[in-house]
Amino acid sequence: KYHSSDDFDGHRIVGFEVEPHSIVQATQSDPAQPGGLKAVCQEGAEATLMELDSYPEVIFTYDVTWEYSDIRWVSRWDNYLKMTGDKIHWFAILNSLMIMLFLSGMIAVIILRTIHRDITKYNELASAEDAAEETGWKLVHGDVFRKPRHSKLLAVSVGSGVQIVCMSVVTLFLALLGVLSPVHRGALLQSCLLLFTFMGFFAGYVASRLYKTFHGADWKQMTLLTAFLYPGIFFGIFFILNLLIWGQRSSGAVPFTTMFAMLCLWFGVSVPLVCLGAFFGFRKANIELPVRTNQIPRQIPVQSWFMKPAFTIMVGGVLPFGAVFTELFFIMSSIWQHQFYYLFGFLALVLVILLVTCAEIAMALTYFQLTAEDYNWWWRSFLSCASSGFYVFGYAILYFSSRLQIEKPVSTMLYFGYMLIMSILFFLLTGSIGLLSSFSFVRAIYSSIKID
């Protein structure tokens, strides 16, 4: 389809439609052609369906029909960028907002009523007899900031999660400004890779600050783990998948030069930035904690079944996943079914709702856990939100079985490999928000009471 105007000379192509047909092509011998045959076009000839097994080779031909179109040059992409389902998007946003408001109300009740009442009661305790009978979260004040197990891995995971959060926020901001557009193929992916590389500074800084709070001494190993652990997992999965594509001789394989450029970005830019961020983080003074940690750990009482770690972790991931469920469907359709996605306004709003939901569900579950006199909240606050990554991967399995018709083993491995990377990214993003918000929450409530 072409369009012409008085504003310019000649014609401009503004669209095209391709109609494939497998028909028996009339041929005649031609020694000048590579196969010794050339196709012959016959007007009005009957187009017989071609049986591939009956012919040793296939001859490709094409015909072009020109049609005038009223579509202007500046509007040529409109037909391809049409997206349906605006009502579904708004319904999903409304649903997520209701979840967020419900959690906000729960947090408001906890802070304004329960905690205020508890703090007032604790501050009014006068005698030793009353202090001995106190129950609730104040009882664990001497253990609430105790160093968790595998604190180094926790600090590295939170640092990498903050790196992903910063990358997502800046990428969406640029997309909202129109700098990143689906019209420019690959611009979004390139921007994500570059921003992930440059956000390594924040990963090193946050990981080092948290590790210093745990009084960790092996700062060199922590810094190296932040720079290499999760980026190494991502690159390893990507490299194995690319080897499989190379084995199939597919044109979609990433060239060796591009892989080398990615390694240069990783080792030449990301790793030094992580080390720089860790350097500044370790130079700063320790985060001030409102209470001291006892020498001897307090015994944790027997917990109810609904306060067991496995149950709270799996329940905590449901609401963050529910907040992004609908947008996840459209994003996966754009990746695996070649549809355009450019509703970055919806996506930015969903990201804000996701971050707030993660923070609120983590604070609520941490408060209930401390009320039950269980002070092992560090990993629990991280995993209660990060478990939404398992739901994302579970949804990927459902999407594969219900929406896609992929049968070849390499294509199947490609799908699940990339969805595994997406699930790990989501795991780290939500988990880091959950832990940092819980840490701020615990510091706030314990700094509001008088400790004898």
Side-chain angles (χ1 to χ4, degrees), residues 220-417:
K220 291 182 180 178
Q221 187 179 8
M222 192 283 305
T223 304
L224 290 175
L225 278 174
T226 306
F228 291 105
L229 179 61
Y230 289 107
I233 292 173
F234 300 143
F235 185 82
I237 296 173
F238 177 73
F239 184 73
I240 292 171
L241 294 177
N242 203 53
L243 283 179
L244 295 174
I245 303 174
W246 270 342
Q248 297 292 310
R249 298 181 179 179
S250 170
S251 59
V254 177
F256 175 77
T257 52
T258 306
M259 299 285 283
F260 182 73
M262 290 173 62
L263 284 173
C264 290
L265 275 176
W266 182 12
F267 286 91
V269 180
S270 180
V271 173
L273 284 175
V274 170
C275 295
L276 184 65
F279 172 76
F280 282 109
F282 278 114
R283 284 193 62 184
K284 291 201 71 172
N286 282 0
I287 298 174
E288 187 177 350
L289 301 177
V291 290
R292 293 192 303 270
T293 301
N294 295 337
Q295 294 289 337
I296 302 174
R298 176 187 173 85
Q299 186 176 1
I300 300 173
V302 178
Q303 300 291 303
S304 304
W305 65 269
F306 52 84
M307 290 305 296
K308 295 291 178 65
F311 181 79
T312 55
I313 287 171
M314 296 312 295
V315 167
V318 172
L319 293 178
F321 172 73
V324 301
F325 163 71
T326 305
E327 290 304 313
L328 184 63
F329 170 79
F330 286 101
I331 291 171
M332 290 177 65
S333 297
S334 69
I335 295 173
W336 301 110
Q337 295 188 348
H338 306 290
Q339 298 179 10
F340 284 100
Y341 184 91
Y342 65 100
L343 299 179
F344 297 115
F346 282 114
L347 193 58
L349 189 56
V350 166
L351 179 63
V352 172
I353 293 173
L354 173 67
L355 298 181
V356 175
T357 302
C358 287
E360 291 179 340
I361 193 68
M363 287 189 287
L365 291 176
T366 300
Y367 174 76
F368 295 141
Q369 181 182 348
L370 293 175
T371 305
E373 301 178 24
D374 183 358
Y375 52 83
N376 294 324
W377 62 272
W378 288 103
W379 272 109
R380 188 94 65 94
S381 63
F382 180 85
L383 293 174
S384 60
C385 292
S387 61
S388 55
F390 296 113
Y391 291 105
V392 170
F393 193 75
Y395 179 71
I397 297 173
L398 178 65
Y399 188 88
F400 178 83
S401 59
S402 61
R403 292 278 176 176
L404 301 178
Q405 290 80 38
I406 298 177
E407 297 176 354
K408 294 183 178 180
V410 173
S411 301
T412 304
M413 293 177 68
L414 197 69
Y415 172 82
F416 283 107

Side-chain angles (χ1 to χ4, degrees), residues 4-270:
S4 57
S5 174
D6 297 334
D7 299 336
F8 57 87
D9 295 331
H11 309 284
R12 287 176 171 173
I13 298 175
V14 293
F16 57 88
E17 294 180 6
V18 178
E19 296 183 10
H21 298 281
S22 296
I23 61 173
V24 177
Q25 177 65 56
T27 59
Q28 68 180 26
S29 60
D30 185 356
Q33 297 296 324
L37 297 173
K38 76 172 183 178
V40 178
C41 296
Q42 297 177 343
E43 288 290 338
E46 184 179 355
T48 309
L49 184 65
M50 181 180 185
E51 295 290 340
L52 290 177
D53 297 335
S54 304
Y55 294 88
E57 59 182 12
V58 178
I59 297 176
F60 290 91
T61 60
Y62 66 91
D63 296 325
V64 179
T65 303
W66 297 93
E67 294 181 5
Y68 180 79
S69 175
D70 293 326
I71 299 174
R72 295 180 299 126
W73 171 257
V74 295
S75 306
R76 67 192 185 281
W77 276 94
D78 291 357
N79 284 337
Y80 308 101
L81 295 178
K82 284 179 180 176
M83 288 192 69
T84 58
D86 286 352
K87 292 182 179 178
I88 299 175
H89 281 281
W90 281 116
F91 178 77
I93 294 288
L94 219 80
N95 181 49
S96 302
L97 282 172
M98 293 302 294
I99 293 173
M100 190 180 73
L101 289 174
F102 168 74
L103 287 172
S104 301
M106 183 188 296
I107 297 297
V109 168
I110 290 173
I111 293 175
L112 298 178
R113 182 181 175 184
T114 314
I115 293 181
H116 179 72
R117 184 185 64 205
D118 290 348
I119 290 172
T120 304
K121 182 179 71 175
Y122 293 148
N123 289 339
E124 289 176 352
L125 289 174
S127 63
E129 291 80 8
D130 292 335
E133 294 174 359
E134 67 183 15
T135 58
W137 50 269
K138 189 186 177 185
L139 270 178
V140 296
H141 67 82
D143 299 276
V144 71
F145 292 109
R146 187 174 298 282
K147 179 181 177 179
R149 293 180 178 179
H150 311 294
S151 57
K152 193 181 301 176
L153 178 61
L154 181 61
V156 169
S157 301
V158 174
S160 298
V162 170
Q163 182 179 6
I164 296 165
V165 171
C166 295
M167 177 201 72
S168 305
V169 170
V170 176
T171 302
L172 272 179
F173 179 72
L174 293 175
L176 286 173
L177 294 179
V179 178
L180 304 177
S181 171
V183 174
H184 303 103
R185 186 177 180 183
L188 198 63
L189 182 59
Q190 290 176 5
S191 301
C192 286
L193 285 173
L194 288 173
L195 286 170
F196 182 81
T197 302
F198 290 120
M199 296 302 165
F201 176 85
F202 297 101
Y205 181 81
V206 173
S208 61
R209 295 284 286 156
L210 193 59
Y211 189 60
K212 197 173 182 181
T213 304
F214 298 147
H215 303 289
D218 196 359
W219 61 271
K220 291 182 180 178
Q221 187 179 8
M222 192 283 305
T223 304
L224 290 175
L225 278 174
T226 306
F228 291 105
L229 179 61
Y230 289 107
I233 292 173
F234 300 143
F235 185 82
I237 296 173
F238 177 73
F239 184 73
I240 292 171
L241 294 177
N242 203 53
L243 283 179
L244 295 174
I245 303 174
W246 270 342
Q248 297 292 310
R249 298 181 179 179
S250 170
S251 59
V254 177
F256 175 77
T257 52
T258 306
M259 299 285 283
F260 182 73
M262 290 173 62
L263 284 173
C264 290
L265 275 176
W266 182 12
F267 286 91
V269 180
S270 180

